Amino acid sequence: MTWEEYKLQCYYLGRYADIYQREGLFNNRASQLIEMGLSSFEAEGGVAFLEEMISHGPQYEIMDIENCPILIYTGDKICYGVLDGFARSLLTELDKMGFNIEEYNLEENGMAGLADFAGKRFRAVIGFQTYGFSVLASKEEYIHDLMVGPKFHMILDHPVWMRNQLTNAPKNDYYVLTHDENYVRFIERYYPSVKGTFLVPPAGEEYVPLKEELDESSPSKVKKIYDISFVGSYHDWRLWIPQVLEMNRKTGGVARRFLHHMLNHRNQTWEQGLEETLKAMGRTCQTDEEFRDLLFDIKPVCFVVMSYFREKIMDAIVEADVSVHVFGDSWKQERYKRAKNLIRHGNLTPEESLQIYAKSKISLNIMSWHKAGMTERIANMMLNHAVVVTDESTYLTDNYVAGTDYLAISLEDIQGVPKVLKSILEDTERQSAIAESAYHKAVNRETWECRARKIAEIVKSVNV
């Protein structure tokens, strides 16, 4: 062990002394380091340095600033473990980059265990759409405000849906990572307590195939067994109508007018649509907070609109008799019971979805109204050589070329969707060209290695 390695071990004992003591290991570990300090590092003052680390003296502060870890929250089982997968993928890549990483499994250890981190310094604390950042230490103080260092919350929905998590959050050094440039601007305006917001979409991953899954004619690629796949849920928009009617009464007609506006302005964001709706009604919100809260209250309208257009697209595909493999138990309901061209499969884990993309010639994506965003689904399709067919976003048009890297569909031309699918399905050469073009770009833009580098840059910038 070198002197630098010894110093690091002493620092770890000082940093995690409470854990060592709780587990009954402190005295044994301290004895080992004392013996080592006397036998190998007496000239460097090994034992004195160890005492500094245990007592958190001036040298401890220096070591802590230089060596404190990045804390990443794992264990979230929401959405079949998608968020947990993101956390673990980022953890792996940051570890490869040489960062000291500490993992805390919220599912296994619970929120109460976060109290162990009070008073500790971290290079960064990173969580994925979690209520962990809302945990209170007291009636007036959040546990994360007792931790030293920046906190980064990656959110994957429109930030208005996340109102409770973004307002009940640390007051100091609290940042947000999100996947849509419109959401960056929304947070900057409507959540002023957030110290900074950065565009960092979730990344995709490549499927590692079994030997028998490989294509004999192209041994480096997976055999394509699905012509067209759609990995996404079905939601019956009618189920939200009672909530829309209730909010319409509470808002004096705003919800109904907003619904009609969004059905006819399909490329607007929710906030743009609400602004125009209020203007047409001759109404205004006195403050940004009032506007944000109104949008939050009428969010059932947004769920109706998103689900309505997804259903219309699938109806058009059914009517055109285009065969699509749909995945998820939500498709096993009455509406599509007789639609034989919708080949229904069960729910998928995140790992299984990668396999489906890798085995698909073409994969359909319908954005959840992310007008300037990028999703892991699109990244996964590209990284697994499936032709992406999707409604567009500013992120896509800025980073890729429609017709070359993906095929665009429009909510303004729903009847044109099956035509796009039929056209590409019949053109195998174009399929190959688009899939390969997208793959070669995405492998340099949409991996967790890329995201880890970006996050590392952000962490460095806010720690200056």
Side-chain angles (χ1 to χ4, degrees):
M1 183 180 291
T2 66
W3 168 237
E4 290 303 318
E5 290 170 338
Y6 175 78
K7 286 169 62 181
L8 200 57
Q9 293 304 311
C10 292
Y11 161 71
Y12 288 149
L13 182 61
R15 180 180 174 89
Y16 301 111
D18 53 345
I19 298 175
Y20 275 102
Q21 288 169 344
R22 189 165 61 219
E23 296 180 358
L25 301 173
F26 182 85
N27 290 339
N28 184 54
R29 184 56 178 158
S31 296
Q32 291 174 349
L33 290 171
I34 290 170
E35 184 177 342
M36 200 177 301
L38 291 171
S39 61
S40 302
F41 303 109
E42 186 175 5
E44 292 89 346
V47 174
F49 185 83
L50 174 60
E51 290 173 348
E52 278 267 309
M53 295 301 102
I54 293 173
S55 64
H56 287 200
Q59 291 190 78
Y60 176 85
E61 182 77 6
I62 297 170
M63 288 291 291
D64 201 32
I65 291 171
E66 293 178 350
N67 299 288
C68 63
I70 294 175
L71 174 63
I72 297 181
Y73 295 136
T74 62
D76 197 322
K77 301 304 180 186
I78 291 176
C79 298
Y80 311 103
V82 169
L83 298 180
D84 186 53
F86 291 167
R88 295 185 184 282
S89 295
L90 178 62
L91 186 156
T92 298
E93 294 302 329
L94 288 172
D95 182 64
K96 288 179 184 177
M97 293 173 66
F99 287 99
N100 180 17
I101 304 295
E102 190 167 335
E103 173 191 350
Y104 185 81
N105 190 309
L106 288 166
E107 181 78 12
E108 293 179 0
N109 301 316
M111 299 294 182
L114 296 177
D116 286 345
F117 300 127
K120 288 189 168 57
R121 181 192 304 276
F122 294 95
R123 195 167 306 278
V125 180
I126 303 174
F128 292 77
Q129 201 142 311
T130 173
Y131 280 103
F133 289 111
S134 300
V135 174
L136 288 165
S138 65
K139 289 183 178 180
E140 299 179 352
E141 195 168 32
Y142 293 95
I143 191 69
H144 284 84
D145 282 324
L146 303 180
M147 302 180 195
V148 181
K151 298 89 189 177
F152 294 92
H153 195 176
M154 179 175 275
I155 66 169
L156 305 166
D157 287 317
H158 191 291
V160 79
W161 317 156
M162 306 293 295
R163 184 190 66 173
N164 294 337
Q165 288 166 272
L166 291 173
T167 54
N168 299 312
K171 305 307 178 188
N172 302 318
D173 298 318
Y174 178 60
Y175 300 86
V176 170
L177 310 175
T178 187
H179 61 306
D180 187 305
E181 191 63 50
N182 290 329
Y183 300 168
V184 173
R185 290 192 288 270
F186 190 95
I187 293 169
E188 289 174 343
R189 177 171 179 177
Y190 295 103
Y191 296 96
S193 61
V194 174
K195 192 169 183 179
T197 307
F198 303 91
L199 180 67
V200 184
E205 297 186 73
E206 293 187 54
Y207 175 64
V208 180
L210 301 173
K211 185 176 181 181
E212 57 267 25
E213 293 176 315
L214 295 174
D215 190 337
E216 293 180 2
S217 62
S218 183
S220 63
K221 296 178 183 176
V222 178
K223 193 184 303 179
K224 301 290 186 179
I225 62 174
Y226 303 113
D227 284 343
I228 306 172
S229 64
F230 179 65
V231 180
S233 300
Y234 170 78
H235 298 290
D236 187 347
W237 55 270
R238 300 160 191 82
L239 299 178
W240 280 293
I241 292 299
Q243 296 177 48
V244 172
L245 294 175
E246 180 184 357
M247 290 314 306
N248 194 58
R249 289 190 296 272
K250 290 183 177 180
T251 59
V254 172
R256 186 186 290 273
R257 289 286 292 270
F258 180 52
L259 173 60
H260 288 296
H261 181 91
M262 295 310 301
L263 290 174
N264 289 289
H265 297 82
R266 307 171 188 185
N267 294 317
Q268 289 188 352
T269 64
W270 304 123
E271 51 271 28
Q272 289 170 337
L274 181 55
E275 286 173 0
E276 293 193 8
T277 298
L278 293 174
K279 184 177 180 181
M281 295 178 71
R283 295 175 58 169
T284 59
C285 290
Q286 297 301 313
T287 64
D288 284 346
E289 183 176 342
E290 184 182 344
F291 179 89
R292 181 198 69 194
D293 291 347
L294 175 60
L295 183 55
F296 178 83
D297 288 339
I298 62 174
K299 65 183 181 294
V301 171
C302 305
F303 299 150
V304 167
V305 172
M306 286 189 291
S307 302
Y308 174 81
F309 284 116
R310 179 169 292 194
E311 181 180 287
K312 286 300 179 184
I313 289 172
M314 300 310 294
D315 284 354
I317 290 171
V318 170
E319 290 169 10
D321 200 29
V322 177
S323 293
V324 178
H325 291 264
V326 294
F327 294 84
D329 289 342
S330 61
W331 293 98
K332 298 176 181 179
Q333 42 73 44
E334 190 65 28
R335 181 174 184 80
Y336 296 112
K337 188 175 182 180
R338 297 182 181 178
K340 298 195 181 300
N341 60 315
L342 287 193
I343 306 156
R344 290 178 286 280
H345 305 264
N347 291 332
L348 298 172
T349 65
E351 294 76 17
E352 288 168 341
S353 69
L354 295 180
Q355 182 184 45
I356 298 305
Y357 293 134
K359 293 183 176 182
S360 300
K361 297 175 183 177
I362 302 154
S363 200
L364 174 65
N365 176 72
I366 305 171
M367 289 283 197
S368 296
W369 227 259
H370 308 308
K371 300 304 182 182
M374 180 62 174
T375 70
E376 79 284 354
R377 288 182 181 177
I378 294 177
N380 284 331
M381 293 172 192
M382 290 180 168
L383 289 170
N384 287 287
H385 305 275
V387 175
V388 175
V389 178
T390 181
D391 49 324
E392 290 195 284
S393 77
T394 304
Y395 184 98
L396 285 174
T397 56
D398 286 349
N399 291 278
Y400 298 92
V401 179
T404 300
D405 304 314
Y406 67 97
L407 295 179
I409 56 175
S410 172
L411 298 183
E412 302 283 357
D413 181 22
I414 288 175
Q415 294 305 314
V417 174
K419 296 176 185 176
V420 172
L421 293 172
K422 283 182 178 179
S423 175
I424 189 62
L425 188 59
E426 294 167 357
D427 193 338
T428 56
E429 287 188 12
R430 194 176 182 213
Q431 283 177 38
S432 179
I434 292 174
E436 290 312 297
S437 179
Y439 173 80
H440 287 296
K441 290 181 180 179
V443 79
N444 293 307
R445 299 177 185 177
E446 313 297 347
T447 65
W448 280 108
E449 179 183 359
C450 299
R451 298 293 185 263
R453 288 200 301 268
K454 176 68 173 178
I455 290 172
E457 291 171 4
I458 294 169
V459 169
K460 182 179 180 181
S461 71
V462 302
N463 272 304
V464 172

